[in-house]
Amino acid sequence: MKTIGYAAESATSPLKPMEFDCRSLRHDDVAIEILYSGVCHSDLHTVKNDWGWTIYPNVPGHEIVGRVIEVGSAVHQYKVGDHVAVGCMVDSCQSCHHCHDGEEQFCVEGFTQTYNSPDRHTQDITKGGYAKHIVVRQEFVLSVPQSLDLAKTAPLLCAGITTYSPLRSWNVGPGSKVAVIGMGGLGHMAVKLAVAMGAHVTVVSRSHSKKDDALNLGADAFLISQDNDSMEKAAGQFDLIVDTVPVKHDVTPYIPLLKVDGTLTLVGQVGPLAEINSVPMILGRRRIAGSIIGGIAETQEMLDFCARMQVMPEVEMIKMQDINQAFERLERSDVHYRFVVGMQASDF
Ligand SMILES: [Zn+2]
Ligand SMILES: [Zn+2]
């Protein structure tokens, strides 16, 4: 099947339309017409080859919502017309213990990423959601609950699950005290999800500027990391800190905020941190951890949770042809809080 998407040809070239072939349907495949695609910071990192592993031409996008247009002979879970979603993974070995446990993100063979990854059968490089169509094996297709707004569902597939999974892993619920560092695409979802789980939520930020937004999103408190007095008063309070900062930074000032045995989990930055002082970790048996997206079963659980609790991201709709300007704005954090591309035939 011929389709068309927006591709980068090099680390310095803007995204522009490119025709390509979707693979022919295998027996367990679902063909999807993409309706909405979220714009994740990793898309920008990948297009610019910030992590050194980008294969060009690159069609990014791993927050995909669409409509089923065709299914393979062995697909019984989905039918033509269903609203479905695809996140950051499109395949895995399906036989290792992590895959069996529903944590395909830890597949011992490595999961196949929605874009920029070799297909397990053909070795063709996968292409993501900045396109009109995608073909995905049924095990990696998610069902969109009826009560969810389709456009706003897109960011849940990466930003949503990336913050939902650590909240669940560290058993956040009523009575938990959670801090969220950074209020971008990930951070604003961490706030909304933790609030919906019943936690007391504090946003930690460098300045006052995001205070009103944080409280409007449901946060209970706001802490300025440059204010030493407030930081000292807040010491030892938190069960979990979700650190969504996407760039290299120093986590040491945040560690004393944790209770004994508390955990700071990194979900934003991929790469070296600034040098860490071990003293507040040792003195409080505190941990620094990391977390990456979530398994398919947990992603479906998250979508169902968001439908039940009506947790929805704050989005700004854009057209596919405006993606390069959106990337420029994303680079300077000028977005409240996630761009979503509404796919229109006229954009291609
Ligand atoms: Zn992402
Ligand atoms: Zn596996």
Side-chain angles (χ1 to χ4, degrees):
M1 175 173 59
K2 284 246 179 279
T3 190
I4 186 163
Y6 267 55
E9 278 169 10
S10 75
T12 52
S13 61
L15 295 177
K16 36 180 210 236
M18 179 185 82
E19 286 191 0
F20 60 95
D21 286 317
C22 286
R23 67 171 183 250
S24 303
L25 243 60
R26 300 171 191 148
H27 68 285
D28 57 351
D29 270 343
V30 178
I32 300 163
E33 178 195 2
I34 298 173
L35 302 174
Y36 299 101
S37 190
V39 179
C40 174
H41 221 111
S42 338
D43 300 343
L44 179 58
H45 281 305
T46 303
V47 162
K48 293 176 65 191
N49 200 21
D50 287 340
W51 296 324
W53 59 57
T54 305
I55 303 159
Y56 297 98
N58 188 276
V59 179
H62 58 204
E63 295 183 335
I64 299 167
V65 172
R67 183 191 301 121
V68 176
I69 53 168
E70 200 182 344
V71 295
S73 57
V75 175
H76 302 296
Q77 199 183 339
Y78 299 104
K79 58 182 192 311
V80 172
D82 285 352
H83 287 136
V84 293
V86 178
C88 304
M89 302 186 284
V90 287
D91 207 352
S92 72
C93 83
Q94 297 286 289
S95 57
C96 74
H97 64 288
H98 291 303
C99 286
H100 274 300
D101 289 348
E103 294 202 301
E104 300 89 347
Q105 74 273 35
F106 304 128
C107 177
V108 296
E109 292 186 9
F111 67 84
T112 304
Q113 298 178 65
T114 303
Y115 63 89
N116 200 48
S117 244
D119 179 275
R120 301 182 102 80
H121 300 272
T122 63
Q123 304 303 310
D124 289 339
I125 301 305
T126 53
K127 294 182 177 60
Y130 295 10
K132 287 180 79 169
H133 302 94
I134 191 167
V135 173
V136 179
R137 68 180 290 181
Q138 61 178 340
E139 290 87 348
F140 288 81
V141 175
L142 297 138
S143 178
V144 178
Q146 259 192 352
S147 63
L148 283 181
D149 176 295
L150 290 179
K152 290 187 175 184
T153 296
L156 297 177
L157 279 305
C158 176
I161 187 60
T162 298
T163 47
Y164 181 86
S165 183
L167 294 171
R168 295 282 286 135
S169 295
W170 279 280
N171 299 313
V172 167
S176 303
K177 288 198 77 171
V178 175
V180 176
I181 308 173
M183 272 264 295
L186 291 176
H188 97 289
M189 281 313 303
V191 171
K192 288 192 174 211
L193 289 164
V195 167
M197 289 175 187
H200 183 280
V201 180
T202 299
V203 170
V204 186
S205 186
R206 276 175 300 187
S207 72
H208 271 292
S209 65
K210 291 195 168 167
K211 183 171 180 178
D212 288 347
D213 276 9
L215 300 180
N216 285 336
L217 294 176
D220 301 282
F222 190 82
L223 183 59
I224 295 167
S225 57
Q226 311 286 336
D227 177 346
N228 292 336
D229 279 356
S230 304
M231 288 291 275
E232 269 174 39
K233 278 191 198 122
Q237 287 194 10
F238 297 97
D239 300 288
L240 179 70
I241 299 176
V242 182
D243 180 344
T244 70
V245 176
V247 294
K248 185 174 181 176
H249 61 293
D250 182 10
V251 298
T252 305
Y254 306 115
I255 305 301
L257 299 175
L258 292 167
K259 292 178 183 172
V260 169
D261 283 328
T263 299
L264 178 146
T265 185
L266 296 156
V267 295
Q269 196 232 341
V270 180
L273 287 171
E275 193 172 335
I276 296 166
N277 184 332
S278 66
V279 171
M281 294 168 67
I282 288 172
L283 292 185
R285 199 163 58 200
R286 300 172 174 114
R287 302 178 188 88
I288 297 175
S291 183
I292 179 170
I293 49 175
I296 293 298
E298 192 174 49
T299 306
Q300 187 65 59
E301 177 193 301
M302 178 272 311
L303 289 173
D304 297 343
F305 175 83
C306 289
R308 197 166 65 245
M309 304 300 290
Q310 281 301 301
V311 177
M312 285 276 97
E314 303 294 314
V315 307
E316 184 179 333
M317 298 301 299
I318 61 165
K319 293 179 176 174
M320 191 72 259
Q321 65 213 38
D322 297 330
I323 188 64
N324 294 301
Q325 293 96 298
F327 270 6
E328 282 169 26
R329 286 184 53 198
L330 187 60
E331 199 144 28
R332 47 176 202 268
S333 301
D334 175 23
V335 51
H336 289 82
Y337 281 91
R338 203 65 152 182
F339 290 119
V340 173
V341 180
M343 297 294 166
Q344 295 167 358
S346 57
D347 289 343
F348 292 93

